[in-house]
Each structure stands twice: as C-alpha cells, then as structure tokens.
C-alpha cells in the first residue's frame, strides 16, 4: 500500500526541483486539461548522469511514452518507470518553449508589471532551477513534455494535438534510483493557443511498492530488464 508523503498544486508557468529517493513515486494530475509538464532528471550524486531521451525511445522501440516505458539515463540505468498512465501519449522530442518564441507568441509579460500573471518560458524555467545545483545551459538535455501529444500532418511535420487534453488525466512515475527532478508547467513549444495557457498540475509524492519479478515495466521490453540490472549493480556499488 502506498503512503502519500506530499501533496501540492503547482500553478501554471511555474518551476520547481527536488530530490526523490529510490522507492518513491510521483503522481501528476492535469486538473483542468491542457497542462504541460516539462521535466528533466539528473543523478544527484553525479550530475553528469542525466535523462537521455534518444536512448529512452530507441531502446524501447517507441516514439511516445506511456505505461510500461522506462526513462533511461545516459549511463544505461533507469531513473523512473511509468507505472500508471491514463493519458496514454507523452512527448519527449519537441523540447522547450524558449524566450524568443515566448515573446513572439504571447508578448512581453514581465514580473514587474504583471506580478503573478507574468509569463515564463520552459527554457528560462529550467535554467533557473539548474542554477541552484551549479548547472547551466550546457547541462540541458531533451526533456519530457508530460500531458502533451504531438502528431504528424500530411507533410510530415509535427503538430500539437490539442484535442488530446483531458481534465483529470494522471501519470505516475516510480523512481528506481535517487533522482534530482527538475520540472516546469510552461506551455509546450508547439501549443497553438493564442493566450498563454494557465493550467495547474497536482503533484503528489508517494511511497512505492518494491519491484517484483513480474513487474510490468521491468518486463515491458528486454532492454528494460538490462537497464534494471545496471541499476542493481549501481546500488551494489560495483
């Protein structure tokens, strides 16, 4: 049985970072529909190890992320497993909204004039959080965009699927190693909305049950089993 450790509603256009221990879980809920959660992972003991989107997709023969998928580090280990997902399609290829695109799409809304109604880019949000740990722009990587679905049009171009948004959609990540989580709730870079989306996200931290031999994520792909073995060796100190 899981135990709720922390519960927080994260407003839109915000950023946050924290360390989650192995054996804990993070459950995110898109409260109103249309939220985006940008997310990156780092090993808090060796921050050169970080989330690797290409290996995550290539190793599991997928373009989308959903239940069963594991989120790999660039050392071939598993940061987290997606153990539950009612949304069904999460992006990890489109990156972040940067300041230039933010200004072009939504205009300038600085804190001095707009206070809590100011607008932030995902790029600036990540950099603000990374600076707290001595990291910077060179440490950015391809990020997760949870609750955001993209599709290809007839010309082969990626476009944002606004119709996929659903109030109450949830995703739960179980952490398989201690992880520095960096996240924001800024808009997806391909979101066509003319007004800056302001969609809150509920963030719950929970205990997680131990990984069993018949675990769905462990057995979802043979590559996942090898990555879990890398985790086992890492925790043995080998």
């Amino acid at each position: 049985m899981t135990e709720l450790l922390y519960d927080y509603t994260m407003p839109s256009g915000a950023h946050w970072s924290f360390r989650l221990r192995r054996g804990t879980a993070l459950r995110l809920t898109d409260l109103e529909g249309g939220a985006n959660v940008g997310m990156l992972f780092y090993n808090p003991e060796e921050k050169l190890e970080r989330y690797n989107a290409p290996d995550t997709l290539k190793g599991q023969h997928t373009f989308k992320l959903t239940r069963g998928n594991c989120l790999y580090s660039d050392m071939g280990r598993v940061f987290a497993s997606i153990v539950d997902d009612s949304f069904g399609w999460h992006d990890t290829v489109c990156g972040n909204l940067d300041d230039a695109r933010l200004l072009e799409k939504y205009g300038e809304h600085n804190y001095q004039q707009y206070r809590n109604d100011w607008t932030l880019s995902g790029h600036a949000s990540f950099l603000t959080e990374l600076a707290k740990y001595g990291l910077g722009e060179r440490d950015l990587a391809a990020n997760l965009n949870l609750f955001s679905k993209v599709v290809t049009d007839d010309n082969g171009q990626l476009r944002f699927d606004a119709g996929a948004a659903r109030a109450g959609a949830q995703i739960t990540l179980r952490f398989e190693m201690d992880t520095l989580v960096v996240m924001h709730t800024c808009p997806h870079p391909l979101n066509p909305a003319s007004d800056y989306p302001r969609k809150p996200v509920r963030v719950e931290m929970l205990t997680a049950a131990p990984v069993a031999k018949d675990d769905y994520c462990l057995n979802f792909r043979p590559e996942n089993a090898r990555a879990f073995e890398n985790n086992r060796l890492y925790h043995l100190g080998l």
Side-chain angles (χ1 to χ4, degrees):
M1 181 178 295
T2 61
E3 175 188 354
L4 180 64
L5 303 173
Y6 190 75
D7 190 345
Y8 171 63
T9 298
M10 190 169 173
S12 63
H15 47 80
W16 194 19
S17 58
F18 44 84
R19 178 171 175 159
L20 277 181
R21 300 286 185 176
R22 175 191 181 195
T24 59
L26 183 68
R27 182 167 62 207
L28 304 172
T29 305
D30 180 358
L31 294 173
E32 299 177 5
N36 178 69
V37 178
M39 188 173 285
L40 286 171
F41 302 139
Y42 299 83
N43 181 344
E45 303 301 328
E46 176 46 83
K47 299 182 189 70
L48 289 174
E49 182 177 6
R50 55 204 56 180
Y51 172 64
N52 189 301
D55 285 357
T56 293
L57 297 178
K58 177 181 65 178
Q60 297 172 92
H61 305 272
T62 187
F63 184 74
K64 67 176 183 179
L65 295 172
T66 188
R67 178 175 178 261
N69 289 131
C70 294
L71 307 175
Y72 294 176
S73 83
D74 54 12
M75 297 295 289
R77 293 186 272 263
V78 180
F79 275 123
S81 305
I82 304 177
V83 296
D84 195 18
D85 177 28
S86 67
F87 187 73
W89 212 114
H90 303 271
D91 165 49
T92 191
V93 300
C94 291
N96 261 318
L97 180 70
D98 62 21
D99 285 345
R101 184 65 174 149
L102 172 75
L103 182 63
E104 178 186 341
K105 290 184 70 173
Y106 304 117
E108 183 176 3
H109 294 78
N110 57 49
Y111 179 76
Q112 289 77 9
Q113 184 175 356
Y114 290 90
R115 297 301 179 183
N116 289 338
D117 289 329
W118 69 323
T119 56
L120 278 172
S121 70
H123 182 81
S125 296
F126 274 151
L127 290 180
T128 298
E129 292 300 323
L130 289 177
K132 298 175 182 179
Y133 308 96
L135 302 173
E137 193 159 22
R138 63 181 293 178
D139 300 296
L140 289 171
N143 56 281
L144 297 157
N145 283 307
L146 304 178
F147 303 119
S148 289
K149 179 180 179 180
V150 294
V151 296
T152 54
D153 62 22
D154 292 340
N155 295 318
Q157 301 295 314
L158 289 175
R159 64 174 181 82
F160 186 79
D161 183 3
R166 188 170 68 258
Q170 288 187 334
I171 183 172
T172 303
L173 309 179
R174 181 187 63 207
F175 284 82
E176 317 298 357
M177 59 187 288
D178 288 4
T179 302
L180 172 61
V181 179
V182 182
M183 62 185 289
H184 66 69
T185 51
C186 300
H188 188 279
L190 298 184
N191 191 326
S194 57
D195 294 323
Y196 189 89
R198 298 192 178 278
K199 303 294 183 178
V201 174
R202 185 180 183 187
V203 181
E204 297 171 276
M205 300 177 188
L206 313 103
T207 58
V211 179
K213 289 184 179 180
D214 63 350
D215 182 77
Y216 185 74
C217 297
L218 171 65
N219 296 288
F220 189 70
R221 293 290 311 172
E223 294 82 359
N224 290 2
R226 290 196 288 270
F228 269 93
E229 179 64 9
N230 290 340
N231 278 47
R232 188 181 74 84
L233 292 173
Y234 174 74
H235 291 119
L236 288 173
L238 301 177

